[in-house]
Amino acid sequence: MPHRRSTTRLGAVRTLAAAVRAATRPGSPSVADRVTSLPRLVRATFSGEYAGTSRRRLLLLLGAVAYVISPVDLIPEAFLPLVGLADDAVVLSWIAASVITETEAFLGWERASSVAQTVPGEVVR
């Protein structure tokens, strides 16, 4: 059983590391851009305008955030401190990786949509 837990934690660390690499590469959106895009991402997904993610995935993300901030825990830190913190760490790494991935795709979609709506030409005065 200990091997399985360490594998899960290692997977969480790898997922988070990949997300951080993607978020910090040159030309990627800033943290502020990502955070401010979240309400637009939710609105566009729920209105059906953006199909790059699903309502279900956004609701899972919301549930994961609620789980992390909730005082009710699947594995309480008071009884099993290291394991209790590890489950929160796995959930947090999934949240971070998902937010980075989803916002990256959404901001790319927004850029492509705005370019598609731009009409090339010259302004005549």
Side-chain angles (χ1 to χ4, degrees), residues 28-45:
S28 85
S30 69
V31 172
D33 289 340
R34 291 175 190 280
V35 170
T36 58
S37 75
L38 286 171
R40 295 191 315 273
L41 167 62
V42 170
R43 229 180 354 264
T45 300

Side-chain angles (χ1 to χ4, degrees), residues 8-24:
T8 303
R9 282 189 292 243
L10 183 58
V13 169
R14 284 183 182 156
T15 300
L16 186 57
V20 168
R21 276 194 309 274
T24 57

Side-chain angles (χ1 to χ4, degrees), residues 18-76:
V20 168
R21 276 194 309 274
T24 57
R25 75 174 183 275
S28 85
S30 69
V31 172
D33 289 340
R34 291 175 190 280
V35 170
T36 58
S37 75
L38 286 171
R40 295 191 315 273
L41 167 62
V42 170
R43 229 180 354 264
T45 300
F46 277 84
S47 73
E49 183 181 353
Y50 177 63
T53 193
S54 66
R55 293 175 183 180
R56 181 179 180 268
R57 183 157 173 95
L58 294 181
L59 292 172
L60 281 171
L61 273 166
L62 182 62
V65 169
Y67 173 78
V68 170
I69 63 175
S70 170
V72 178
D73 208 350
L74 198 60
I75 304 172

Side-chain angles (χ1 to χ4, degrees), residues 15-16 19 34 38 41 53 57-58 61 91-104:
T15 300
L16 186 57
R34 291 175 190 280
L38 286 171
L41 167 62
T53 193
R57 183 157 173 95
L58 294 181
L61 273 166
V91 173
L92 276 172
S93 68
W94 180 78
I95 291 169
S98 295
V99 166
I100 288 169
T101 302
E102 296 298 336
T103 56
E104 183 97 17

